[in-house]
Amino acid sequence: MFVNVQLLSGWQEPLWYHVPSHLEAQVTLGTFLEVPLRTQKLPCIVRSIATSAPESSADARNELGRDATTKPWHSRAAPIREVIGVFAFPNDPLYRSFTDQVAAFFCIDAVNLHQRIVGHVNLSPKAEDAEAELVETAITLGDVAHNGQNVKKVTLSAEQQTAADTLSAKITEKIYFPALLQGVTGSGKTEVYKKLISTALSENKSVIVLLPEVALAMQFETIFKTQLPFPEKILSFHSLTKISEKRQLWSNLLKGTPTVILGVHLPVLLPISNLGCIIIDEEHERGFQEKRHPKINSKEIALWRAKTYNCPIVLGSATPSLPTLHSVAAGRIARFRLTQRFQGAFPAITHVLLNKEKRARKTFWITKELEKAITECLARKEQVILYLNRRGHSFSAQCQECGTIVMCESCSVSLTPHATKIDDTFELKCHYCGCTKPVPTQCPSCSKADKPLIMKGVGTQQLTTLVQKLFPQARIARADLDSTKKKREWLQTVEAFKADNLDILIGTQLITKGYHFPRVTLVGIIWADLGLAVPDYHTRETVLQKLIQVAGRAGREHAGSNVIIQSMVEDDLFSFISEEKYEEFCKHELATRSELHYPPFGRLVQLEFMHKDEHVLSKEISEYVRKLRLESLKTTPLVTILGPVEPVVKKIAGVETRHLFFKSSSFQSIRQLMQTVPVPQNFKSMVFVIPT
């Protein structure tokens, strides 16, 4: 027997191998095998089976698309190498049907999903060595002992107990039960999660916990390992997880050991035969939508997974997404409310306009109201969070003479000024392709050198400098992607703030959710309307959710706390920042989406086309759209075709991008149209299914 296989890590072209007689009975289409390639032993999946080898090297070349004389392919000079054995893949009877369903929906090959998972657990030891300095276990942090000793016992409120009891029963009964745990910020949703985890493990079942960001996954890993009596059963599976921990997780899956698995995207794709519960915290966050191919939405497929495996799934949030609230109203998802804070009280909210505060001083970005509130807060020995969702020193570098903004040569974005370690000097960075260059001594457009380029706008780096000058005695730290690239440094910053070793924490959206800082009594939102101009149908929903989440960091253990919201313009959105008014906003927003047939009232699919040549891209996509419109009129008139359009950032690393949208009440209508008119092959394309 001979098999044509696809490696699950490394080499991407299909290869031929011979199956020894003692393994033939175990090999069928889709079987996972282990094969030799050069000096390595690699996992693969069987794509086709033949009773005899290709008759000639020409046959092999046709089959493989390259020179068959190169080992280990078939030729007279180089015989096909033998399969070593069946790859140790967890025995999950439902896994193949689940991944096939996901692959079909997102228009990809299921092998792509298998490659992602196996590739993460089959890495070489060198990769682990390279990660050693980057990652560091979080279990040493926290003020609670683990290993079952001195674990804090928490008495649940009546609302928490009702949610925990109902959902725990569904775990025991093995029932698919989608539920929204809607709790105001600080209401103790994590305590309910801990109860469900304990129930699942006691039933010898595993739990998937999805968080929208790796930093938040690390935080929850610390919480669970320090506050639950079984830290050895809690493992992470994301980009900053040690290779040794990933392999330990794989070993647990092979043995069927009950495990709590934390991550962002990968956990929901793991083969888990004893899956008992799925928990998705901050379910409203768009971080569950992958930015790279195949652009899967982890929250959406987690719902499918729970239904396939007959287990409850909990969607937790203080600001649920509009589609989730729509599903609750339609009776498809149950809802449990946590209406009271576990401790503390809701903060008082004040809105201040920045454009009425203009004055000739460097503290334009800190209004009089905010400056006074910070001063009073520091005098009381309390803590402050300042939120600005823009990293770097400024937005851009601009010529004072002609107004030209310095752009990235490879991307359609301005370069962001970053202050270097040397005072009063800057370098320009692209936040997309990563290129770095010094600030030009003269304008790249008009070549004027007598006036230096000016730095426009404000980022967290500049804000930190301004706050340090205003409050020189304060202990200040910054938390954004520039300052938290290493897991160790990020955890140290969070822990220092928790331990009251810092007075002011300045950060981006990294600090807006999931963190409990007991002594924070003031949150300052520096530029609240930043981001409202993004041309996206759920921009207002996203901005409001972030503002409510960061405001919710204040007053979690204090009765008197404040949130000061600064903005350039008036907007009725700011009147909904109070948590009690969030659902009122949702009703207005859902009514608007209903009129336009946007999700959750219809299906929306985005095609993303990429090519290095802008002219080729424009020509090919225009021809493709022409064919689509003709076919749509004949066979699928219910599909609306929108575009092609340029995205906000139309070029990244020299590659041009265009978007095309399909809108319909039925996904099948869109799928039928895409199958009838296939995408041209001479440029890269991705399918991005907008979740409902």
Side-chain angles (χ1 to χ4, degrees):
M1 178 189 292
F2 296 85
V3 290
N4 190 237
V5 303
Q6 177 72 57
L7 295 183
L8 297 182
S9 60
W11 193 260
Q12 295 300 302
E13 294 186 37
L15 308 174
W16 280 99
Y17 284 87
H18 174 254
V19 181
S21 57
H22 69 278
L23 292 177
E24 287 186 358
Q26 303 177 53
V27 178
T28 60
L29 290 178
T31 300
F32 295 100
L33 301 175
E34 191 171 48
V35 297
L37 182 64
R38 298 186 178 90
T39 60
Q40 294 179 297
K41 299 176 183 179
L42 299 174
C44 64
I45 186 171
V46 176
R47 305 304 301 269
S48 63
I49 298 176
T51 56
S52 60
E55 294 182 359
S56 68
S57 59
D59 291 335
R61 281 195 297 272
N62 291 337
E63 196 69 47
L64 301 170
R66 59 170 291 159
D67 185 359
T69 62
T70 304
K71 292 182 180 182
W73 295 282
H74 171 74
S75 73
R76 293 186 177 88
I80 294 176
R81 300 177 70 179
E82 285 202 349
V83 171
I84 296 173
V86 176
F87 179 69
F89 200 85
N91 182 24
D92 182 349
L94 300 173
Y95 184 70
R96 193 62 61 81
S97 62
F98 167 68
T99 52
D100 286 346
Q101 179 187 9
V102 173
F105 187 78
F106 288 95
C107 306
I108 59 175
D109 191 328
V111 172
N112 291 342
L113 306 178
H114 305 148
Q115 286 175 324
R116 295 186 67 195
I117 295 303
V118 176
H120 272 271
V121 297
N122 196 58
L123 301 176
S124 65
K126 290 182 179 179
E128 183 176 2
D129 295 339
E131 282 191 322
E133 186 176 350
L134 179 65
V135 296
E136 195 172 85
T137 180
I139 197 169
T140 57
L141 300 178
D143 57 356
V144 185
H146 51 83
N147 293 326
Q149 299 178 2
N150 301 324
V151 175
K152 288 181 179 178
K153 294 183 179 180
V154 176
T155 302
L156 300 183
S157 67
E159 292 175 327
Q160 290 173 315
Q161 195 68 55
T162 298
D165 289 346
T166 304
L167 293 166
S168 292
K170 305 303 179 184
I171 294 174
T172 302
E173 297 165 11
K174 299 181 181 179
I175 294 176
Y176 169 63
F177 188 77
L180 168 65
L181 184 62
Q182 185 176 355
V184 297
T185 54
S187 60
K189 294 184 289 294
T190 304
E191 297 302 326
V192 178
Y193 301 158
K194 287 158 58 179
K195 173 64 176 176
L196 299 180
I197 289 171
S198 297
T199 299
L201 293 181
S202 68
E203 299 275 345
N204 291 318
K205 296 177 182 178
S206 293
V207 179
I208 291 174
V209 182
L210 297 183
L211 292 310
E213 294 173 357
V214 171
L216 197 55
M218 295 189 300
Q219 173 74 0
F220 267 75
E221 183 182 0
T222 301
I223 291 171
F224 291 155
K225 282 186 174 181
T226 56
Q227 297 182 12
L228 291 172
F230 32 75
E232 73 284 350
K233 295 183 179 180
I234 299 166
L235 297 171
S236 67
F237 194 56
H238 51 67
S239 59
L240 289 185
T241 302
K242 290 182 180 180
I243 305 303
S244 58
E245 186 173 344
K246 291 178 181 178
R247 288 177 175 164
Q248 177 60 53
L249 172 59
W250 194 253
S251 176
N252 284 9
L253 296 177
L254 289 170
K255 298 173 185 176
T257 303
T259 308
V260 180
I261 309 164
L262 297 99
V264 181
H265 303 297
L266 295 174
V268 76
L269 293 174
L270 284 167
I272 308 171
S273 59
N274 62 343
L275 182 62
C277 181
I278 300 176
I279 296 170
I280 303 180
D281 193 48
E282 309 293 354
E283 68 86 23
H284 63 277
E285 280 289 331
R286 297 187 68 187
F288 293 114
Q289 175 64 62
E290 291 188 294
K291 296 180 176 63
R292 297 180 181 178
H293 186 71
K295 292 204 168 185
I296 289 173
N297 186 282
S298 300
K299 184 180 78 172
E300 180 139 323
I301 67 171
L303 286 162
W304 300 348
R305 179 106 196 229
K307 188 173 184 179
T308 303
Y309 284 67
N310 286 320
C311 69
I313 179 170
V314 183
L315 310 175
S317 178
T319 54
S321 65
L322 268 64
T324 297
L325 288 175
H326 180 67
S327 293
V328 168
R332 294 190 294 269
I333 295 179
R335 173 161 58 179
F336 298 93
R337 288 182 180 271
L338 305 181
T339 58
Q340 301 297 320
R341 283 198 160 184
F342 209 59
Q343 293 175 285
F346 294 113
I349 297 175
T350 305
H351 180 216
V352 182
L353 281 177
L354 277 165
N355 61 3
K356 292 184 178 180
E357 288 286 329
K358 290 182 179 178
R359 52 196 183 275
R361 53 182 292 193
K362 292 183 178 180
T363 54
F364 166 74
W365 297 104
I366 305 293
T367 59
K368 293 175 182 177
E369 288 85 349
L370 181 55
E371 183 178 357
K372 179 183 177 183
I374 294 174
T375 301
E376 294 173 349
C377 187
L378 295 177
R380 295 191 302 266
K381 305 296 183 183
E382 296 167 352
Q383 291 178 306
V384 180
I385 285 179
L386 298 180
Y387 168 71
L388 174 64
N389 203 28
R390 183 77 181 198
R391 61 190 171 109
H393 179 275
S394 312
F395 278 21
S396 59
Q398 187 174 32
C399 176
Q400 298 184 59
E401 187 70 26
C402 69
T404 295
I405 293 175
V406 182
M407 305 292 290
C408 176
E409 296 177 0
S410 302
C411 308
S412 58
V413 295
S414 61
L415 292 173
T416 301
H418 285 252
T420 62
K421 293 182 180 180
I422 304 173
D423 292 341
D424 300 324
T425 62
F426 296 93
E427 61 182 5
L428 302 179
K429 291 183 180 180
C430 177
H431 289 169
Y432 286 85
C433 71
C435 76
T436 302
K437 62 186 294 185
V439 177
T441 56
Q442 62 183 30
C443 174
S445 179
C446 68
S447 301
K448 293 286 185 180
D450 55 335
K451 293 183 179 179
L453 299 180
I454 56 174
M455 307 301 155
K456 301 296 290 289
V458 64
T460 52
Q461 208 175 34
Q462 182 185 173
L463 179 63
T464 301
T465 301
L466 293 174
V467 174
Q468 286 172 337
K469 290 179 179 179
L470 277 175
F471 307 99
Q473 304 303 317
R475 300 165 297 175
I476 302 169
R478 179 165 54 94
D480 55 29
L481 283 178
D482 295 322
S483 63
T484 59
K485 288 181 179 178
K486 291 190 176 182
K487 177 178 178 180
R488 175 179 55 206
E489 295 176 4
W490 166 242
L491 292 173
Q492 286 174 344
T493 299
V494 171
E495 190 63 16
F497 198 57
K498 275 186 177 181
D500 203 19
N501 294 326
L502 294 171
D503 301 311
I504 302 175
L505 183 63
I506 298 172
T508 57
Q509 61 182 356
L510 283 175
I511 61 174
T512 63
K513 49 194 170 287
Y515 296 105
H516 180 79
F517 300 121
R519 296 187 58 78
V520 171
T521 58
L522 173 64
V523 168
I525 299 173
I526 303 303
W527 193 348
D529 47 325
L530 180 62
L532 277 178
V534 175
D536 192 310
Y537 73 91
H538 40 37
T539 289
R540 296 178 69 79
E541 175 191 2
T542 302
V543 170
L544 180 59
Q545 287 166 343
K546 281 184 169 55
L547 295 179
I548 291 177
Q549 290 287 337
V550 71
R553 300 313 102 191
R556 296 170 79 94
E557 291 192 12
H558 285 262
S561 60
N562 296 281
V563 175
I564 296 181
I565 301 168
Q566 301 180 157
S567 69
M568 288 289 192
V569 298
E570 288 276 13
D571 194 295
D572 60 3
L573 184 78
F574 303 134
S575 65
F576 296 106
I577 288 181
S578 170
E579 294 188 47
E580 294 89 342
K581 297 182 179 179
Y582 176 70
E583 288 196 50
E584 183 182 343
F585 161 82
C586 292
K587 290 178 182 178
H588 290 293
E589 194 71 9
L590 282 169
T592 301
R593 293 192 193 179
S594 177
E595 292 178 6
L596 299 173
H597 302 291
Y598 278 122
F601 301 98
R603 298 301 317 217
L604 189 65
V605 172
Q606 172 186 312
L607 290 185
E608 185 174 81
F609 300 91
M610 289 157 283
H611 199 284
K612 288 189 175 182
D613 190 320
E614 183 177 7
H615 299 292
V616 171
L617 180 61
S618 297
K619 179 181 177 181
E620 291 289 343
I621 197 172
S622 295
E623 178 62 19
Y624 177 58
V625 170
R626 185 187 68 80
K627 294 178 181 178
L628 283 172
R629 295 190 191 282
L630 288 175
E631 186 62 33
S632 178
L633 291 173
K634 290 189 297 182
T635 58
T636 52
L638 297 179
V639 178
T640 301
I641 302 170
L642 305 173
V645 296
E646 294 180 352
V648 176
V649 181
K650 68 172 186 175
K651 184 171 73 170
I652 298 176
V655 178
E656 293 280 344
T657 301
R658 299 294 182 271
H659 289 164
L660 187 66
F661 295 90
F662 297 145
K663 188 167 68 169
S664 176
S665 59
S666 165
F667 177 73
Q668 282 305 116
S669 298
I670 298 174
R671 185 71 186 275
Q672 179 184 342
L673 179 60
M674 292 172 61
Q675 291 175 336
T676 306
V677 187
V679 175
Q681 296 300 309
N682 62 340
F683 54 75
K684 187 177 180 182
S685 64
M686 295 185 187
V687 179
F688 173 18
V689 182
I690 312 294
T692 54

